Amino acid sequence: MEKNNVHIDRNEVVIHVDNVSKSFGSLHVLRDVDVKLFKGENLVVLGRSGTGKSVLIKLISGLLTPDKGHVRVLGETVNELDERALRTLRQRIGFSFQNSALYDSMTVRENLEFPLVRNKRNLSRAEINKEVEEVLEGVGLSQAINQMPSELSGGQRKRIGIARTLILRPDIMLYDEPTAGLDPITCLDINTLINEVQERFNTSSIIITHDLACAKMVGDRMVMLLDGKFERQGTFKEIFDTDDARVKSFYDYNFIV
Amino acid sequence: MGSKIEKLLIEFARIHRFMMSFLREAVSPPYEFKEIIRQCYEIGWKSFPLISLTGFIVGFVFTKQSRPSLEDFGATSMLPALISIAIVRALAPLVTALIASGKVGSQIGAELSSMNVTEQIDAMEVSGTNPTKFLVSTRIVATTLMIPILCFYVAGIGLIGGYLSIVGKDDLSMLAFFTQVFETIAAKDVFAMVIRAVVFGFTIGFASSYVGYFSTKGTEGVGKAANSAVVSSMFLVFVEELLIVQLLALLN
């Protein structure tokens, strides 16, 4: 599927993960990782489970701090910000969690209102309602507004999770395994939604996945994490045009097995 | 041994940081009034049936058990005075705190731990909101407000239980019973009861929130957090009771 209306500005770096290393005890997850995300771009991070893909976006959002190196997001060094500045920066970053992380004691409406009413306190009730309805319509789930998260399917939960991040109109979107655990048709819907978000809001996104169909459909550029390092970067074709057995087996498993 | 001490020091540092974070968020605007009211309802109102039953039984049984000792000295007429002192000075705050540790502590521990496991706390964090303000401060404020109210209620229900136990054997009017009760209780006893209840309420909210918020990942962690919330709350309540009793004795 071809993408339209995507404007990638390769002169503007919105995220720079600058020689970052991260370990948990004796386990070295990321080793001197260096990657840039450009304005308007969808960057896919590929890799097997446990290779540190999710750690990377948690470092970007400030949920984890690097042992070495710097993470620069929208001109700010994340690991040097105080709590208040980090909170302000986070309003410009949308984070879609693997399991959606919807607040299960709240309805869909309350889930969407939660970040809005706490970050934009001057909005009137009518404006809040309008924003919620608009963003829900954008993900095609207007009818679910009063439902509880437990009443939704996996795909619907993913969409609501994305809607909740979009309500603050972020400049950057971070997707953690957006298609994990979904059937192929729902995967296609989510991938289409990711591309729509990029086109409509001109967001720059990092998509963490091991689903190559998703990577091929949404990614403008890809990087592959192998043994804690970005060993390969480029387009889908460039990444897999190699004799490296680790890369080939990853491809074969996705498309043949 | 060295690593154990290091772990203990790290734990103390984390508790201190959590406390400072709570204090900062509890007093700084904007306030989460709606969530505090919701938590007061969950913690206070929903505990009423259990608290009522327990308070009544404690008052009734305590009176029944105390009667033979007083009978030996021909002092059964002193029962209302004895009950009122026992209930207001010790039993009401302690029983309320222990019941709340079980019911409210496990609820807070499991709820926050489950939110941690399912990344809901991280989701709040990355959306630019403050989970400590919304999840922790509201719960601690609610327990600190509701346990004293429940404590007064337990004292009242316990006294009624005591009265019903007495009228089973003696001919005593309710007016005479409560006159003796209020003649015996001093203002400082009520004050001490409120102080105890406030301290216990804060402790239950804080300890349960802490273990839930920092629970280890996984479903096993949810069970452990609920269990740990109850055990640590009860343990701290007993320790505090001991310290408060000593402190009040010194002041007296």
Side-chain angles (χ1 to χ4, degrees):
Chain A
M1 187 183 284
E2 283 296 310
K3 287 201 234 176
N4 302 310
N5 304 320
V6 172
H7 308 288
I8 301 170
D9 182 357
R10 298 209 181 272
N11 293 316
E12 190 179 344
V13 176
V14 290
I15 296 178
H16 184 192
V17 178
D18 185 6
N19 268 314
V20 163
S21 298
K22 180 72 185 171
S23 303
F24 295 97
S26 59
L27 184 68
H28 301 292
V29 180
L30 297 176
R31 302 160 194 255
D32 298 323
V33 164
D34 199 293
V35 70
K36 287 175 182 169
L37 174 72
F38 299 107
K39 173 87 179 146
E41 181 187 38
N42 270 4
L43 174 73
V44 170
V45 178
L46 291 165
R48 292 180 58 188
S49 299
T51 49
K53 304 189 298 296
S54 299
V55 170
L56 180 75
I57 54 172
K58 284 186 175 173
L59 288 167
I60 291 168
S61 60
L63 284 174
L64 294 173
T65 47
D67 299 335
K68 195 188 123 200
H70 297 283
V71 179
R72 294 193 183 85
V73 178
L74 298 166
E76 311 260 21
T77 305
V78 176
N79 43 315
E80 287 173 0
L81 294 177
D82 62 26
E83 214 173 307
R84 192 177 289 268
L86 183 59
R87 213 169 286 149
T88 308
L89 177 66
R90 279 169 171 165
Q91 292 173 27
R92 300 176 67 190
I93 307 171
F95 196 126
S96 169
F97 286 83
Q98 184 174 352
N99 64 2
S100 309
L102 298 181
Y103 311 133
D104 47 21
S105 61
M106 301 181 196
T107 63
V108 168
R109 177 193 288 278
E110 289 165 341
N111 262 278
L112 299 185
E113 281 179 3
F114 188 85
L116 195 63
V117 297
R118 280 162 185 83
N119 288 307
K120 296 182 179 174
R121 295 199 174 253
N122 51 349
L123 289 182
S124 67
R125 175 41 55 189
E127 286 169 322
I128 292 168
N129 288 345
K130 188 170 165 278
E131 289 278 336
V132 169
E133 283 158 20
E134 223 174 80
V135 82
L136 263 184
E137 201 181 316
V139 298
L141 281 173
S142 300
Q143 77 285 0
I145 192 160
N146 291 318
Q147 282 182 274
M148 296 301 285
S150 57
E151 296 167 339
L152 303 172
S153 69
Q156 287 174 322
R157 291 168 67 95
K158 289 268 183 196
R159 282 170 171 272
I160 299 295
I162 294 172
R164 189 178 60 187
T165 62
L166 287 177
I167 205 154
L168 291 176
R169 302 280 183 261
D171 298 307
I172 294 169
M173 284 292 292
L174 305 172
Y175 299 94
D176 191 3
E177 303 278 9
T179 56
L182 301 176
D183 66 86
I185 307 296
T186 311
C187 285
L188 187 69
D189 288 345
I190 296 292
N191 293 338
T192 308
L193 179 62
I194 292 171
N195 284 340
E196 277 173 12
V197 168
Q198 183 191 20
E199 288 168 20
R200 275 180 60 198
F201 303 107
N202 194 29
T203 51
S204 319
S205 309
I206 293 182
I207 301 109
I208 301 292
T209 189
H210 51 240
D211 172 5
L212 292 191
C214 166
K216 201 172 180 181
M217 191 171 160
V218 302
D220 300 310
R221 189 162 59 96
M222 289 162 213
V223 290
M224 192 161 198
L225 257 178
L226 291 165
D227 303 324
K229 287 185 174 180
F230 284 136
E231 297 268 344
R232 303 194 65 76
Q233 303 201 24
T235 61
F236 188 84
K237 193 170 180 306
E238 286 164 352
I239 290 259
F240 291 102
D241 188 14
T242 175
D243 290 329
D244 188 329
R246 296 170 302 172
V247 181
K248 280 179 86 70
S249 63
F250 195 85
Y251 182 89
D252 292 346
Y253 184 82
N254 264 265
F255 287 109
I256 296 172
V257 177
Chain B
M1 184 67 181
S3 75
K4 273 185 183 172
I5 292 171
E6 193 183 327
K7 271 185 187 169
L8 194 69
L9 290 174
I10 290 171
E11 188 73 11
F12 277 130
R14 204 165 64 166
I15 291 170
H16 176 258
R17 208 166 54 230
F18 193 66
M19 175 74 86
M20 289 298 116
S21 172
F22 157 71
L23 292 173
R24 196 174 53 242
E25 297 306 332
V27 297
S28 62
Y31 304 107
E32 295 281 357
F33 287 122
K34 202 176 155 195
E35 182 62 11
I36 290 174
I37 291 167
R38 196 179 78 83
Q39 288 302 328
C40 284
Y41 172 78
E42 290 288 330
I43 291 162
W45 183 252
K46 288 195 173 174
S47 299
F48 266 104
L50 186 62
I51 286 282
S52 302
L53 186 67
T54 321
F56 180 83
I57 291 171
V58 166
F60 190 90
V61 171
F62 178 78
T63 311
K64 204 131 191 104
Q65 298 289 356
S66 303
R67 173 181 281 278
S69 307
L70 290 183
E71 255 173 2
D72 290 346
F73 300 99
T76 48
S77 62
M78 296 296 287
L79 261 175
L82 174 73
I83 299 161
S84 60
I85 288 172
I87 287 181
V88 172
R89 284 192 189 167
L91 289 176
L94 205 55
V95 167
T96 311
L98 294 179
I99 296 295
S101 297
K103 189 183 181 301
V104 178
S106 61
Q107 185 184 321
I108 293 175
E111 197 178 0
L112 293 188
S113 172
S114 163
M115 290 185 79
N116 191 9
V117 168
T118 53
E119 294 180 306
Q120 292 176 52
I121 294 178
D122 283 349
M124 283 186 187
E125 193 103 51
V126 295
S127 67
T129 54
N130 189 337
T132 310
K133 184 180 271 298
F134 183 77
L135 297 174
V136 176
S137 299
T138 53
R139 281 165 173 78
I140 298 177
V141 168
T143 51
T144 310
L145 290 175
M146 292 317 292
I147 300 301
I149 293 172
L150 289 173
C151 180
F152 270 103
Y153 178 71
V154 165
I157 284 279
L159 288 171
I160 290 170
Y163 170 71
L164 290 177
S165 176
I166 290 172
V167 291
K169 291 235 173 183
D170 298 328
D171 188 18
L172 180 69
S173 74
M174 191 176 253
L175 182 68
F177 174 81
F178 278 102
T179 305
Q180 198 180 340
V181 163
F182 288 116
E183 276 171 359
T184 316
I185 303 167
K188 65 177 181 183
D189 296 325
V190 178
F191 180 70
M193 181 179 84
V194 173
I195 294 290
R196 270 193 179 92
V198 168
V199 171
F200 294 162
F202 176 83
T203 305
I204 293 165
F206 185 83
S208 312
S209 298
Y210 178 79
V211 295
Y213 200 87
F214 292 108
S215 67
T216 47
K217 301 279 179 186
T219 44
E220 193 189 342
V222 178
K224 275 186 180 169
N227 182 271
S228 178
V230 177
V231 173
S232 53
S233 297
M234 283 187 176
F235 173 74
L236 288 171
V237 162
F238 278 116
V239 172
E240 284 166 354
E241 173 69 13
L242 184 71
L243 293 175
I244 291 171
V245 164
Q246 299 298 327
L247 193 69
L248 290 175
L250 275 176
L251 289 175
N252 277 331

